[in-house]
Amino acid sequence: MTTFDHNFDHNGWSPDAATATISLEGIVTGWSEGARRLLGYRPAEVVGRAAADLLVDREATGFSPVGSPEWSGTAALRHRDGHRVELTLHAHPQLDGASATQAFVITATTGTPASERDRRMVEWAFAQSSIALSTYSAASGSWRLNRGAETDPLGQACSDEGFLRCVRHVAEEAVPMRYEGFAPAPHAAARQRSWIVELWPVRDPGTGEVAGVGTAAFDSSEQHAARQRLALLNEAGTRIGTTLNVNRTAQELADLAVPRLADFASVDLLDSVMRGEEPVPGPVDAAVVLRRVAHQSSSEGEGVPEAAVDLGGIDTYPPFSPPARSLTSGRPVLSGADDPDFARWVGEHEARAAIVREHGFHSVVAAPLRARGITLGVAVFVRGKGSAPFQHDDLILAEELAGRAAVGVDNARRYTRERTNALTLQRSLLPRDLPKQAAVEVAYRYLPAGTGAGVGGDWFDVVPLSGTRVALVVGDVVGHGIHASATMGRLRTAVRTLADVDLPPDELLTHLDDLVTHLTSDDDHIVRDLPYTGGIGATCLYAVYDPVSRICTLASAGHVPPAVLLPDGSVSVVHLTPGPVLGVGGLPFEATELELPEGSLLAFYTDGLIENREHDVGLGLERLCAALASPVPSLEVTCDAILKDLLPDSPADDVALLLVRTRALHADQVAAWALPSDPAIVADARAQATRQLAAWGLQEAAFVTELVVSELVTNAIRYGDVPIGLRLIRDRTLICEVSDASSTAPHLRRARTYDEGGRGLHMVAQLTQGWGTRQTPTGKTIWAEQPLPVG
């Protein structure tokens, strides 16, 4: 311990102060300039002599610092010139690093006893101050602490390297500093003690040099705890609600609360919330069924040993328990071991009672999860042995954390409900099972987006057409959610309707573009009542494949082109002339014809398959071609391989993939004849058709086929233009087609009783399973389809 020489007048330091150092043997070892001025002796004349030699009467004074820890009093000393000098003396020990007395410092003043009492009062104030004060001597490197500092953590700080660096910096640079110190908390959930220490340089008033450092410490535990609470709340804004997943959001609350607020935390949600139902506004009944969705523990090791209910388990809290009281009141509840209801709640549940005894749980806070006026569940925070009981500030913090988590849970719940509804709508609009086609073999996949973007408007379809042809469709509506799904449903229905008219791909897209323009105009009048604003934007790729000619005709409305794998193993992206996105209006669409060998593989898809934030579309197309070229045993396996190679675990956009392997009808399945425009040829046409059916072994179909050929050829000769053609196609059904150069399409009409005509097409419609007409580049084709005889 080091002492400082405090000699004050009313302005501070006394100008006539004098000090001397005396060894334990009573020998003068130090003599200040103030002492020389006071008594006249130079240091060389005094140092080494006995201190008692300076006294006028050594026995009369009673001054004997040796053996005394501290002494104050008056004494008469002899001046060098011989006159008597009455002085007030104060002796205090000088200690070494081990707190052992190594000498005494004597301070002498010529002041009155009143000034000495003032000096002592300063000493008393330093020693008795409730503020932790201390001084550090730069000369000896020793400390002097008052009573407040000895019982305060400041005493521990004297050995803290960070604090000592600050002390040395103040002493060396003569600049004041502030240091914040912390005492280790006994447990993670316990309050941490902290204090702020002011440090300032102490100067010698005579020389102006820094003699040491003064410190004053102030307890800042409350302010530190408040900052910690604010930091936790701020962190909650970034860590809770990061995903639109109910269970994950609840777990984020538990993970954040442990161990910084509690030793154990659990989150239970209403079972109705987990089922996706809308909770009833206001507080809930105490008997409500809750499901455990998240919990966390500060215990080391795996698992959560403090949990009395497993994840996914159902629990019902009794009305007097803290969680039930919190649910019914809509307010957080603080309870503990001194609460009879807490003891009763724990005692009635054997597993919970055993856990409470094992972990020493003594304090609990139950906070309801409420958002937008509805209660979703309850969060329970518990502290055990080694942790301080919850205080009122902790109750407020728990309520804030539960409130923020409730908003995230409600957002996730509402998103899940909307996404489920959108998925249900979308799946009801997408084809559940594509019928087998004679022209192609198909496989498909549809993957909803794996992020919070919501369900999109991707769709695909396979539409059977006349003449064993097939229409292949894939499209994508801009945006996500129910609006996109509903728009997709309207467009898919429109495509199927236009496909039934058997329009060429470019004409079909033109009609579809007009429809989207009208839909956008209609939406503009009602959009003020909907949460969605903006026009309809969509892309579409429409293709028609004819297995007789092996020609695939394609047209694109802003859609990504398909890729094709030929039987020789070569893979390429089909070069199309892309038209505008649907809804632009006024711009043409161009069709592209592609002759495909039998067994070619076409891949139709939406942009979610090839677009990625990590790479451009070109790289995505290259990866698609590489995946197509890999040998696989089936189309189903190819679908899975493509999705695995191109997509991340959680796609950012919906993905639709349609794989089509082409087939071809061989010459022995098709018979065609060119006919002159002569009514006499009708009988010859019937005969040729009958002979062909006999060659195919379909004699049982001859009667109906002769009637169909007779009626359709007669109408072509009577109302159409040359050239006239007759074609029979044998596949899964028997198809009869008659084409001519007139674009006028026939239609059914009701014949009157005495009319001689008008009944032919009616009989065709009755005897076949379907008939129709389609426009061709040179005119029209009328077709009729009948089932093959069962043999």
Side-chain angles (χ1 to χ4, degrees):
M1 181 182 293
T2 300
T3 58
F4 286 94
D5 303 329
H6 300 293
N7 301 281
F8 299 88
D9 61 8
H10 64 282
N11 292 319
W13 289 94
S14 173
D16 57 345
T19 61
T21 303
I22 302 175
S23 69
L24 296 178
E25 293 78 16
I27 303 301
V28 178
T29 59
W31 192 258
S32 71
E33 177 63 22
R36 186 197 64 78
R37 292 195 303 270
L38 181 62
L39 296 178
Y41 297 102
R42 293 189 299 276
E45 298 174 323
V46 178
V47 174
R49 294 176 55 185
D53 293 346
L54 300 175
L55 298 174
V56 174
D57 185 357
R58 69 172 66 183
E59 296 181 359
T61 178
F63 170 71
S64 180
V66 178
S68 302
E70 191 170 328
W71 181 91
S72 295
T74 59
L77 275 70
R78 190 181 306 278
H79 194 274
R80 184 174 183 275
D81 60 9
H83 73 270
R84 182 187 182 100
V85 180
E86 295 288 339
L87 297 175
T88 299
L89 303 178
H90 176 72
H92 49 82
Q94 187 180 59
L95 308 179
D96 59 15
S99 298
T101 303
Q102 61 182 5
F104 289 88
V105 177
I106 309 298
T107 303
T109 64
T110 58
T112 63
S115 64
E116 171 62 16
R117 184 172 180 83
D118 292 342
R119 187 194 65 76
R120 294 296 305 276
M121 186 174 65
V122 173
E123 291 285 336
W124 297 336
F126 171 84
Q128 301 172 21
S129 174
S130 60
I131 299 174
L133 301 173
S134 69
T135 57
Y136 169 78
S137 172
S140 64
S142 58
W143 287 90
R144 181 182 181 188
L145 284 73
N146 72 349
R147 187 178 308 165
E150 291 174 350
T151 59
D152 193 271
L154 181 60
Q156 304 174 14
C158 294
S159 59
D160 180 72
E161 183 58 34
F163 176 72
L164 294 179
R165 281 197 299 269
C166 291
V167 172
R168 288 192 292 269
H169 181 78
V170 173
E172 294 169 0
E173 303 296 332
V175 292
M177 288 189 66
R178 173 175 290 191
Y179 173 81
E180 186 169 13
F182 304 93
H187 193 273
R191 177 170 293 181
Q192 186 181 38
R193 281 211 63 190
S194 64
W195 65 94
I196 295 176
V197 183
E198 298 284 348
L199 300 94
W200 65 91
V202 177
R203 299 177 182 273
D204 186 327
T207 64
E209 295 181 355
V210 175
V213 177
T215 70
F218 304 92
D219 192 318
S220 60
S221 299
E222 288 295 330
Q223 295 87 336
H224 177 69
R227 291 198 303 270
Q228 293 294 97
R229 290 193 294 270
L230 288 175
L232 188 60
L233 286 175
N234 182 64
E235 190 173 344
T238 59
R239 286 186 55 184
I240 298 178
T242 59
T243 64
L244 290 172
N245 181 283
V246 172
N247 290 26
R248 180 58 192 161
T249 302
Q251 189 62 51
E252 288 169 346
L253 169 61
D255 292 343
L256 182 66
V258 177
R260 295 168 66 179
L261 175 63
D263 298 320
F264 169 77
S266 66
V267 181
D268 299 338
L269 296 181
L270 274 65
D271 197 44
S272 58
V273 172
M274 300 305 298
R275 294 195 303 267
E277 300 174 4
E278 184 74 21
V280 178
V284 299
D285 186 81
V288 68
V289 176
L290 296 136
R291 188 176 297 275
R292 177 65 52 84
V293 295
H295 52 212
Q296 187 55 274
S297 164
S298 61
S299 301
E300 297 181 357
E302 298 181 357
V304 183
E306 300 93 335
V309 179
D310 294 331
L311 289 179
I314 293 178
D315 197 3
T316 301
Y317 293 105
F320 54 83
S321 65
R325 287 156 50 194
S326 173
L327 287 169
T328 54
S329 66
R331 302 290 300 172
V333 172
L334 174 60
S335 183
D338 56 348
D339 183 357
D341 286 338
F342 175 82
R344 180 183 173 192
W345 170 49
V346 171
E348 290 186 356
H349 194 288
E350 184 177 349
R352 184 175 286 116
I355 290 172
V356 169
R357 288 193 300 270
E358 179 182 355
H359 299 279
F361 289 152
H362 56 80
S363 188
V364 60
V365 169
L369 271 65
R370 290 178 51 81
R372 303 179 180 92
I374 60 176
T375 300
L376 305 169
V378 63
V380 179
F381 308 98
V382 186
R383 285 184 180 175
K385 53 188 175 184
S387 299
F390 285 114
Q391 303 297 325
H392 182 70
D393 290 341
D394 300 315
L395 186 72
I396 297 174
L397 177 60
E399 182 179 23
E400 281 287 336
L401 292 177
R404 298 196 180 195
V407 173
V409 168
D410 193 47
N411 287 340
R413 177 191 64 83
R414 297 171 70 185
Y415 165 75
T416 301
R417 184 183 62 182
E418 180 179 343
R419 189 171 189 270
T420 300
N421 292 340
L423 276 174
T424 302
L425 172 63
Q426 186 179 51
R427 287 168 180 165
S428 68
L429 297 173
L430 288 171
R432 295 185 179 181
D433 188 22
L434 297 178
K436 292 184 178 181
Q437 304 291 326
V440 293
E441 176 191 0
V442 299
Y444 59 89
R445 294 289 186 274
Y446 175 78
L447 271 69
T451 65
V455 177
D458 295 17
W459 92 93
F460 61 92
D461 210 347
V462 177
V463 185
L465 301 177
S466 62
T468 68
R469 296 170 307 127
V470 64
L472 309 166
V473 192
V474 63
D476 186 1
V477 176
V478 176
H480 294 85
I482 292 180
H483 186 276
S485 296
T487 302
M488 175 270 288
R490 290 193 285 183
L491 294 182
R492 178 172 178 262
T493 301
V495 170
R496 273 191 163 266
T497 302
L498 294 171
D500 285 342
V501 182
D502 224 331
L503 295 175
D506 51 340
E507 292 186 26
L508 184 142
L509 290 183
T510 300
H511 286 281
L512 191 63
D513 182 55
D514 292 338
L515 174 64
V516 171
T517 302
H518 292 310
L519 290 177
T520 302
S521 177
D522 293 341
D523 282 354
D524 287 342
H525 297 291
I526 62 174
V527 76
R528 66 178 65 93
D529 301 322
L530 298 174
Y532 171 85
T533 58
I536 298 173
T539 65
C540 183
L541 177 65
Y542 185 83
V544 174
Y545 174 69
D546 186 347
V548 177
S549 64
R550 294 182 288 105
I551 297 295
C552 184
T553 306
L554 310 95
S556 172
H559 200 82
V560 287
V564 59
L565 168 64
L566 298 179
D568 62 6
S570 61
V571 184
S572 63
V573 177
V574 178
H575 179 70
L576 297 177
T577 303
V581 174
L582 295 175
V584 173
L587 296 175
F589 298 94
E590 184 175 334
T592 300
E593 288 190 351
L594 187 66
E595 184 174 356
L596 297 173
E598 183 179 6
S600 298
L601 179 59
L602 285 165
F604 299 89
Y605 52 90
T606 53
D607 55 8
L609 181 68
I610 60 172
E611 288 185 354
N612 194 300
R613 294 180 181 177
E614 299 178 359
H615 57 73
D616 57 16
V617 175
L619 180 58
L621 288 173
E622 292 179 6
R623 293 172 61 184
L624 172 61
C625 292
L628 276 177
S630 301
V632 289
S634 67
L635 290 185
E636 295 292 336
V637 176
T638 303
C639 281
D640 294 334
I642 290 175
L643 296 181
K644 180 180 179 180
D645 290 346
L646 271 70
L647 294 181
D649 294 334
S650 182
D653 195 6
D654 286 17
V655 175
L657 173 64
L658 177 64
L659 295 184
V660 178
R661 191 184 301 280
T662 64
R663 294 171 176 157
L665 294 182
H666 301 148
D668 61 348
Q669 295 178 275
V670 180
W673 302 272
L675 304 176
S677 182
D678 183 357
I681 201 65
V682 175
D684 185 52
R686 287 198 302 267
Q688 292 187 68
T690 301
R691 288 192 294 271
Q692 184 62 53
L693 291 180
W696 285 341
L698 302 177
Q699 292 89 341
E700 295 182 15
F703 176 77
V704 174
T705 304
E706 286 181 1
L707 188 148
V708 171
V709 169
S710 179
E711 177 62 28
L712 297 185
V713 171
T714 299
N715 282 345
I717 294 173
R718 181 178 299 176
Y719 303 109
D721 295 325
V722 294
I724 298 173
L726 170 63
R727 185 168 72 167
L728 294 180
I729 301 174
R730 175 182 60 86
D731 190 57
R732 301 185 182 188
T733 60
L734 179 61
I735 302 171
C736 177
E737 295 182 344
V738 175
S739 59
D740 66 80
S742 173
S743 59
T744 303
H747 60 278
L748 289 175
R749 64 184 180 89
R750 183 177 297 277
R752 291 188 293 271
T753 303
Y754 298 103
D755 286 350
E756 296 182 359
R759 296 178 177 85
L761 285 180
H762 184 73
M763 288 189 296
V764 170
Q766 294 297 315
L767 295 173
T768 62
Q769 69 180 25
W771 76 280
T773 181
R774 66 175 181 269
Q775 299 295 318
T776 65
T778 59
K780 67 176 181 297
T781 296
I782 304 173
W783 57 271
E785 184 175 342
Q786 62 190 89
L788 296 176
V790 178

